[in-house]
Amino acid sequence: MKRILTILFLVPIFCSGQISVARKLLLSQYTNTSSTIPQFIDDGGIGTSTGSLVFVPYPETNANDILIAVLMDEDDDTFVTPSTWNSIDSVSTNTSLSVHFFWKRATGSETGSVGFPSASTSGSLCAGIIYRFSGCITTGNPIGEISNAIVTNSLGVGERITTSNNNSLEVGLYVVEDNVNATLSGSNWTEFSNKTTTVGNDAAFVSIGYELPVAGIPLSLPSLTWSTYEYCGFLTIELRSE
Protein backbone atom coordinates (compact mmCIF):
# COMPACT_ATOMS: atom_id res chain seq x y z
CA MET A 1 0.00 0.00 0.00
CA LYS A 2 2.85 2.35 0.87
CA ARG A 3 4.48 1.65 -2.49
CA ILE A 4 1.30 2.54 -4.35
CA LEU A 5 0.85 5.80 -2.43
CA THR A 6 4.45 6.78 -3.07
CA ILE A 7 3.98 6.32 -6.81
CA LEU A 8 0.77 8.32 -6.80
CA PHE A 9 2.41 11.29 -5.10
CA LEU A 10 5.70 11.16 -7.03
CA VAL A 11 4.20 11.05 -10.52
CA PRO A 12 2.69 14.60 -10.42
CA ILE A 13 5.96 15.97 -9.06
CA PHE A 14 8.09 14.19 -11.65
CA CYS A 15 5.78 15.19 -14.54
CA SER A 16 4.92 18.73 -13.41
CA GLY A 17 7.11 20.35 -16.06
CA GLN A 18 5.60 18.20 -18.80
CA ILE A 19 2.10 18.95 -17.56
CA SER A 20 2.85 22.69 -17.63
CA VAL A 21 4.17 22.49 -21.20
CA ALA A 22 1.19 20.41 -22.33
CA ARG A 23 -1.20 22.87 -20.68
CA LYS A 24 0.39 25.81 -22.50
CA LEU A 25 0.18 23.98 -25.80
CA LEU A 26 -3.48 23.20 -25.19
CA LEU A 27 -4.34 26.76 -24.17
CA SER A 28 -2.55 28.19 -27.20
CA GLN A 29 -5.05 26.44 -29.46
CA TYR A 30 -7.88 28.40 -27.86
CA THR A 31 -6.13 31.74 -27.37
CA ASN A 32 -6.62 34.59 -29.84
CA THR A 33 -3.17 35.03 -31.34
CA SER A 34 -4.23 37.89 -33.65
CA SER A 35 -3.52 40.67 -31.15
CA THR A 36 -0.82 42.05 -33.47
CA ILE A 37 -3.23 42.31 -36.41
CA PRO A 38 -4.82 45.76 -36.89
CA GLN A 39 -8.33 46.01 -35.49
CA PHE A 40 -11.42 48.00 -36.50
CA ILE A 41 -12.60 50.16 -33.58
CA ASP A 42 -15.51 52.32 -34.77
CA ASP A 43 -16.59 55.10 -37.12
CA GLY A 44 -17.83 58.65 -36.66
CA GLY A 45 -21.06 58.30 -38.63
CA ILE A 46 -22.00 59.66 -42.05
CA GLY A 47 -21.59 63.32 -42.95
CA THR A 48 -23.71 64.66 -45.82
CA SER A 49 -24.07 67.76 -47.99
CA THR A 50 -25.86 68.87 -51.14
CA GLY A 51 -23.26 71.57 -51.77
CA SER A 52 -19.56 71.66 -52.58
CA LEU A 53 -18.22 70.96 -49.06
CA VAL A 54 -19.05 68.00 -46.85
CA PHE A 55 -18.08 67.83 -43.16
CA VAL A 56 -17.41 64.28 -41.99
CA PRO A 57 -17.48 63.56 -38.22
CA TYR A 58 -14.37 62.20 -36.52
CA PRO A 59 -14.70 59.11 -34.35
CA GLU A 60 -12.97 59.22 -30.96
CA THR A 61 -9.23 58.72 -31.56
CA ASN A 62 -6.01 57.71 -29.84
CA ALA A 63 -2.53 58.67 -31.01
CA ASN A 64 -1.34 56.48 -33.92
CA ASP A 65 -4.79 55.19 -34.80
CA ILE A 66 -5.23 55.01 -38.57
CA LEU A 67 -8.27 56.85 -39.92
CA ILE A 68 -9.73 55.85 -43.29
CA ALA A 69 -12.11 58.34 -44.91
CA VAL A 70 -14.47 57.25 -47.70
CA LEU A 71 -16.17 60.01 -49.72
CA MET A 72 -18.77 59.76 -52.46
CA ASP A 73 -20.14 62.29 -54.96
CA GLU A 74 -23.27 61.68 -57.06
CA ASP A 75 -22.05 64.13 -59.70
CA ASP A 76 -18.91 62.09 -60.28
CA ASP A 77 -16.74 65.01 -59.13
CA THR A 78 -13.33 64.93 -57.45
CA PHE A 79 -12.47 65.79 -53.84
CA VAL A 80 -9.63 67.95 -52.58
CA THR A 81 -7.33 66.21 -50.08
CA PRO A 82 -7.50 68.12 -46.75
CA SER A 83 -4.34 69.10 -44.88
CA THR A 84 -2.79 66.22 -42.85
CA TRP A 85 -4.69 63.64 -44.94
CA ASN A 86 -3.31 61.40 -47.70
CA SER A 87 -5.06 60.17 -50.83
CA ILE A 88 -5.23 56.38 -51.29
CA ASP A 89 -7.21 55.95 -54.50
CA SER A 90 -10.48 56.78 -56.27
CA VAL A 91 -12.99 55.15 -58.63
CA SER A 92 -15.51 56.68 -61.00
CA THR A 93 -18.37 55.74 -63.33
CA ASN A 94 -17.62 58.86 -65.39
CA THR A 95 -21.32 59.67 -65.22
CA SER A 96 -22.99 59.58 -61.83
CA LEU A 97 -20.76 58.29 -59.02
CA SER A 98 -17.23 58.84 -57.80
CA VAL A 99 -15.74 57.40 -54.62
CA HIS A 100 -12.53 58.68 -53.03
CA PHE A 101 -10.43 57.14 -50.26
CA PHE A 102 -8.05 58.89 -47.84
CA TRP A 103 -6.00 57.99 -44.77
CA LYS A 104 -4.52 59.83 -41.80
CA ARG A 105 -2.47 58.85 -38.72
CA ALA A 106 -4.37 60.24 -35.75
CA THR A 107 -2.81 62.46 -33.10
CA GLY A 108 -5.47 61.61 -30.54
CA SER A 109 -6.68 65.22 -30.43
CA GLU A 110 -9.13 65.06 -33.36
CA THR A 111 -12.59 66.43 -32.51
CA GLY A 112 -15.67 67.58 -34.39
CA SER A 113 -15.45 67.03 -38.13
CA VAL A 114 -13.18 67.59 -41.12
CA GLY A 115 -14.25 69.27 -44.35
CA PHE A 116 -13.72 67.63 -47.74
CA PRO A 117 -14.22 70.11 -50.64
CA SER A 118 -15.79 68.77 -53.82
CA ALA A 119 -16.52 70.18 -57.23
CA SER A 120 -20.12 69.06 -56.72
CA THR A 121 -22.92 71.15 -58.16
CA SER A 122 -25.68 72.22 -55.82
CA GLY A 123 -28.38 69.63 -55.27
CA SER A 124 -26.37 66.42 -55.63
CA LEU A 125 -25.27 64.30 -52.69
CA CYS A 126 -21.79 64.44 -51.23
CA ALA A 127 -21.30 62.12 -48.27
CA GLY A 128 -18.51 60.53 -46.30
CA ILE A 129 -17.56 58.43 -43.30
CA ILE A 130 -14.34 57.98 -41.29
CA TYR A 131 -13.35 54.53 -40.01
CA ARG A 132 -10.92 54.10 -37.11
CA PHE A 133 -8.36 51.27 -36.85
CA SER A 134 -5.76 50.51 -34.17
CA GLY A 135 -2.63 48.35 -34.19
CA CYS A 136 -1.14 49.55 -37.49
CA ILE A 137 2.49 50.53 -37.98
CA THR A 138 3.23 53.86 -36.27
CA THR A 139 5.56 55.27 -38.95
CA GLY A 140 5.40 55.24 -42.71
CA ASN A 141 2.50 54.24 -44.92
CA PRO A 142 0.14 51.74 -43.20
CA ILE A 143 -1.47 50.82 -46.53
CA GLY A 144 -0.02 47.78 -48.29
CA GLU A 145 -1.63 46.23 -51.35
CA ILE A 146 -4.80 47.75 -52.82
CA SER A 147 -7.36 46.92 -55.53
CA ASN A 148 -10.29 49.04 -56.69
CA ALA A 149 -13.34 48.59 -58.88
CA ILE A 150 -16.67 50.15 -59.72
CA VAL A 151 -19.73 48.23 -60.88
CA THR A 152 -22.93 49.43 -62.53
CA ASN A 153 -26.40 47.95 -62.50
CA SER A 154 -25.29 45.37 -60.00
CA LEU A 155 -26.96 43.30 -57.29
CA GLY A 156 -23.70 42.69 -55.48
CA VAL A 157 -19.91 42.66 -55.45
CA GLY A 158 -17.01 40.59 -54.13
CA GLU A 159 -13.28 41.29 -54.01
CA ARG A 160 -10.17 40.01 -52.25
CA ILE A 161 -6.45 40.69 -52.65
CA THR A 162 -3.17 38.97 -51.88
CA THR A 163 -1.39 40.72 -49.01
CA SER A 164 2.39 41.16 -48.89
CA ASN A 165 2.92 41.32 -45.11
CA ASN A 166 2.27 39.04 -42.15
CA ASN A 167 -0.29 40.08 -39.50
CA SER A 168 -2.31 42.23 -41.89
CA LEU A 169 -5.98 43.15 -41.93
CA GLU A 170 -7.66 43.04 -45.33
CA VAL A 171 -10.37 45.69 -45.44
CA GLY A 172 -13.15 46.12 -47.99
CA LEU A 173 -14.63 49.63 -48.31
CA TYR A 174 -17.89 49.89 -50.26
CA VAL A 175 -20.23 52.70 -51.31
CA VAL A 176 -23.58 51.90 -52.95
CA GLU A 177 -25.51 54.73 -54.60
CA ASP A 178 -28.73 54.00 -52.72
CA ASN A 179 -29.70 53.30 -49.12
CA VAL A 180 -29.71 49.57 -49.74
CA ASN A 181 -29.77 46.82 -47.14
CA ALA A 182 -26.43 45.21 -48.04
CA THR A 183 -25.82 41.67 -46.76
CA LEU A 184 -22.38 40.12 -46.29
CA SER A 185 -21.50 36.46 -46.76
CA GLY A 186 -18.10 34.74 -46.85
CA SER A 187 -16.35 32.52 -44.33
CA ASN A 188 -14.27 34.42 -41.74
CA TRP A 189 -15.18 37.83 -43.16
CA THR A 190 -16.49 40.31 -40.58
CA GLU A 191 -18.82 43.24 -41.16
CA PHE A 192 -17.36 46.28 -39.40
CA SER A 193 -19.91 48.95 -40.26
CA ASN A 194 -23.07 49.19 -42.38
CA LYS A 195 -24.73 52.61 -42.51
CA THR A 196 -27.03 54.49 -44.87
CA THR A 197 -28.21 58.02 -45.56
CA THR A 198 -31.41 59.22 -47.22
CA VAL A 199 -30.06 62.68 -48.08
CA GLY A 200 -30.13 63.46 -51.82
CA ASN A 201 -30.41 60.24 -53.83
CA ASP A 202 -29.37 58.10 -50.82
CA ALA A 203 -26.21 56.06 -50.20
CA ALA A 204 -24.90 53.11 -48.21
CA PHE A 205 -21.40 52.82 -46.68
CA VAL A 206 -20.18 49.33 -45.76
CA SER A 207 -16.82 48.15 -44.42
CA ILE A 208 -15.70 44.54 -43.93
CA GLY A 209 -12.49 42.79 -42.90
CA TYR A 210 -10.48 39.56 -42.89
CA GLU A 211 -7.49 38.80 -40.62
CA LEU A 212 -4.36 37.37 -42.26
CA PRO A 213 -1.67 36.27 -39.76
CA VAL A 214 0.45 35.12 -42.71
CA ALA A 215 0.82 37.00 -46.00
CA GLY A 216 -1.49 35.60 -48.65
CA ILE A 217 -5.08 35.71 -49.85
CA PRO A 218 -8.30 35.12 -47.88
CA LEU A 219 -9.55 31.56 -48.25
CA SER A 220 -13.06 32.76 -49.07
CA LEU A 221 -14.39 35.44 -51.41
CA PRO A 222 -16.65 37.98 -49.68
CA SER A 223 -20.04 38.61 -51.22
CA LEU A 224 -21.92 41.84 -50.56
CA THR A 225 -25.43 41.72 -52.03
CA TRP A 226 -28.55 43.88 -52.17
CA SER A 227 -31.96 43.68 -53.81
CA THR A 228 -31.99 46.42 -56.49
CA TYR A 229 -29.66 47.26 -59.38
CA GLU A 230 -27.28 50.02 -58.25
CA TYR A 231 -23.91 51.64 -58.84
CA CYS A 232 -21.19 50.61 -56.39
CA GLY A 233 -17.62 51.81 -55.97
CA PHE A 234 -15.22 49.98 -53.69
CA LEU A 235 -11.62 49.56 -52.62
CA THR A 236 -9.89 46.63 -50.92
CA ILE A 237 -6.78 47.52 -48.91
CA GLU A 238 -4.17 45.82 -46.75
CA LEU A 239 -3.65 47.47 -43.36
CA ARG A 240 -0.15 46.69 -42.10
CA SER A 241 1.06 46.06 -38.57
CA GLU A 242 4.66 45.34 -39.64
Side-chain angles (χ1 to χ4, degrees):
M1 183 67 177
K2 289 182 180 178
R3 184 177 298 173
I4 296 175
L5 288 175
T6 300
I7 294 172
L8 288 174
F9 281 104
L10 285 177
V11 168
I13 294 173
F14 178 76
C15 298
S16 61
Q18 292 177 321
I19 291 173
S20 177
V21 171
R23 182 173 180 272
K24 289 180 180 178
L25 289 172
L26 180 63
L27 287 175
S28 68
Q29 298 179 42
Y30 298 97
T31 301
N32 180 8
T33 58
S34 64
S35 59
T36 60
I37 294 177
Q39 300 292 306
F40 171 78
I41 305 300
D42 57 9
D43 64 68
I46 298 175
T48 62
S49 172
T50 55
S52 58
L53 178 65
V54 57
F55 288 94
V56 184
Y58 276 115
E60 182 179 348
T61 65
N62 291 324
N64 291 320
D65 284 342
I66 295 301
L67 306 179
I68 305 292
V70 181
L71 280 293
M72 63 84 70
D73 187 306
E74 287 185 344
D75 269 356
D76 192 41
D77 293 309
T78 59
F79 284 90
V80 176
T81 305
S83 174
T84 74
W85 285 82
N86 306 276
S87 177
I88 304 173
D89 206 354
S90 63
V91 293
S92 169
T93 63
N94 296 316
T95 54
S96 62
L97 174 65
S98 63
V99 185
H100 300 254
F101 307 88
F102 305 89
W103 76 271
K104 170 184 174 166
R105 182 170 285 109
T107 64
S109 61
E110 289 81 4
T111 59
S113 60
V114 55
F116 287 85
S118 167
S120 169
T121 57
S122 179
S124 67
L125 173 64
C126 289
I129 192 169
I130 296 174
Y131 301 112
R132 172 192 172 195
F133 297 86
S134 68
C136 299
I137 56 174
T138 56
T139 59
N141 190 343
I143 311 295
E145 301 299 323
I146 68 171
S147 177
N148 70 42
I150 195 157
V151 295
T152 59
N153 295 327
S154 175
L155 295 174
V157 291
E159 174 76 5
R160 59 181 172 174
I161 57 175
T162 301
T163 60
S164 300
N165 304 275
N166 294 335
N167 294 314
S168 291
L169 180 67
E170 189 157 315
V171 179
L173 305 163
Y174 299 83
V175 177
V176 185
E177 196 181 21
D178 198 359
N179 60 329
V180 297
N181 179 22
T183 302
L184 171 66
S185 61
S187 179
N188 294 323
W189 285 89
T190 300
E191 181 180 279
F192 294 149
S193 177
N194 189 334
K195 295 186 175 178
T196 63
T197 177
T198 56
V199 174
N201 290 328
D202 312 327
F205 290 80
V206 183
S207 61
I208 64 175
Y210 189 105
E211 294 186 355
L212 284 163
V214 179
I217 191 168
L219 296 178
S220 66
L221 181 70
S223 177
L224 197 67
T225 58
W226 49 88
S227 60
T228 55
Y229 287 97
E230 306 293 350
Y231 291 106
C232 175
F234 61 94
L235 179 70
T236 304
I237 65 172
E238 173 191 6
L239 279 181
R240 301 170 50 207
S241 68
E242 55 185 63

